[in-house]
Amino acid sequence: MAGKAAVIGAGFYGSTTALRLAEFDLFDEVVLTDIRDGWSEGLALDLNSSRPIIGFETQLTGKTTTPDGQGYEVIEGSDVVIITAGLPRKPGMSRMDLLEVNAKIVRGVAEKVAAFAPDAVVIVVSNPLDEMTRLAQIATGFPHARVMGQAGMLDTARFSFFVAEKLGIPVRDVTTLTLGSHGDTMVPIPSACSVRIDGAARPLAAALSSADIEALVKRTRAGGAEVLALLKTGSAYYAPSAAAAAMAKAVATDSGEVMPVCAWVTGQYGITDVYLGVEAKLGKSGVVEIVERSLTDDEVTQLHEAAEAVRAKSEDVVAM
């Protein structure tokens, strides 16, 4: 084991992410912080008590922090910092409804990360995701490659599950992909989707009708809202935390794994200077390389539309 990870915000999302990171047994220490007095310390004590049962050695450390920066010294030396701080959605709310309130929270957190963990790779999960990722990069002043957002991993996982459920096949036999924004302009990529049925791989379009695929695409876009409507209070955190933890693992292990993430694009697909959901190779320096694939004309058009929607809202965030 080696290295250190920090999770800022100890709600359901943050605490579950911290547990997943610890159970990887990759890090010497996983830090969990929160503004609620004693909350993260209590969670860390509980999580550490599970170590003999599960059999992992990673130390979990909880620390109460304040808006003026007290307590943030605990994240010093972190290789990866995951920002989950911010208010979750409530039923009927869109991710964009959280823009103003979470912008203030994320800006403050990002500034503390820059002060106490200046060499970290930052993974943002606060909503609205694409805009908060841009804000975190500005507030930290870090190179774009060291600040990314978690979205495509989660949306792609939802798409894969919905396809597997529809066809009645194992999730391991489904390959899907979503790009674009983490919201209404999400771009599921049916041309990159395939399934394995009776041992034979085939395009998704050969296994499902166009109407069925479109229904699954719509369900994927509304996946988070579907969870919210059922829960009534709170929001999704099991699948999102798995996605964020997988990204952190790829960074910590310098794996070079290609994942769909929110990254800064510099001309890929004809799009420049905006944070957007694309496929990227991840390593210890963050986004090592953005990987382009062949898309249909319609998919490229949708990706451009997503980029412009994110760009407009990002400008609003920067001005706050």
Side-chain angles (χ1 to χ4, degrees):
M1 295 191 302
K4 180 176 179 179
V7 181
I8 312 298
F12 288 129
Y13 195 146
S15 58
T16 308
T17 302
L19 178 59
R20 293 188 188 280
L21 291 174
E23 289 185 343
F24 287 152
D25 228 6
L26 288 172
F27 300 96
D28 294 315
E29 182 181 20
V30 172
V31 171
L32 184 62
T33 75
D34 201 87
I35 60 172
R36 289 170 288 183
D37 187 28
W39 180 262
S40 52
E41 289 89 341
L43 288 175
L45 179 58
D46 188 19
L47 293 170
N48 277 316
S49 298
S50 74
R51 287 165 57 188
I53 301 170
I54 304 300
F56 64 91
E57 296 297 338
T58 297
Q59 173 70 35
L60 288 124
T61 302
K63 186 68 175 180
T64 301
T65 57
T66 64
D68 64 1
Q70 294 182 47
Y72 272 94
E73 66 278 357
V74 75
I75 74 170
E76 288 181 347
S78 293
D79 302 291
V80 184
V81 176
I82 300 175
I83 299 178
T84 76
L87 299 182
R89 283 195 291 168
K90 296 179 181 179
M93 291 178 68
S94 72
R95 293 181 179 91
M96 295 310 300
D97 290 334
L98 298 172
L99 185 64
E100 186 171 354
V101 62
N102 280 354
K104 181 178 180 181
I105 295 170
V106 170
R107 184 186 293 275
V109 168
E111 290 171 349
K112 307 303 186 303
V113 171
F116 290 95
D119 298 319
V121 170
V122 176
I123 298 171
V124 180
V125 303
S126 307
N127 277 317
L129 188 282
D130 309 275
E131 292 78 11
M132 292 301 102
T133 304
R134 174 59 171 147
L135 179 60
Q137 187 276 321
I138 292 171
T140 58
F142 288 178
H144 292 98
R146 282 206 284 126
V147 182
M148 70 186 86
Q150 185 288 112
M153 285 288 289
L154 169 61
D155 298 327
T156 296
R158 285 174 172 160
F159 196 11
S160 292
F161 168 67
F162 296 152
V163 169
E165 183 182 46
K166 178 69 174 179
L167 290 171
I169 62 177
V171 292
R172 65 175 177 272
D173 290 337
V174 178
T175 299
T176 67
L177 177 65
T178 65
L179 304 177
S181 77
H182 187 50
D184 294 338
T185 52
M186 183 190 306
V187 185
I189 308 293
S191 69
C193 301
S194 63
V195 296
R196 182 173 292 276
I197 299 176
D198 296 329
R202 62 189 71 182
L204 184 61
L208 290 171
S209 68
S210 58
D212 282 339
I213 292 174
E214 181 58 29
L216 293 175
V217 165
K218 289 181 178 179
R219 190 180 182 194
T220 299
R221 287 197 180 104
E226 184 177 350
V227 173
L228 277 171
L230 291 167
L231 291 177
K232 306 296 189 296
T233 59
S235 59
Y237 56 91
Y238 287 123
S241 66
M247 291 170 63
K249 181 179 181 180
V251 171
T253 60
D254 197 27
S255 72
E257 186 173 354
V258 176
M259 297 179 168
V261 303
C262 178
W264 185 253
V265 293
T266 57
Q268 293 81 10
Y269 302 110
I271 302 168
T272 301
D273 296 344
V274 66
Y275 269 99
L276 191 67
V278 291
E279 292 174 281
K281 182 184 296 184
L282 303 188
K284 63 181 179 182
S285 60
V287 173
V288 178
E289 177 188 358
I290 293 177
V291 179
E292 284 188 85
R293 69 164 60 232
S294 178
L295 302 179
T296 67
D297 290 344
D298 182 57
E299 288 164 351
V300 171
T301 296
Q302 290 184 59
L303 202 57
H304 277 255
E305 292 172 352
E308 293 313 306
V310 171
R311 193 189 309 278
K313 288 298 182 181
S314 294
E315 290 174 357
D316 293 341
V317 169
V318 172
M320 288 180 180

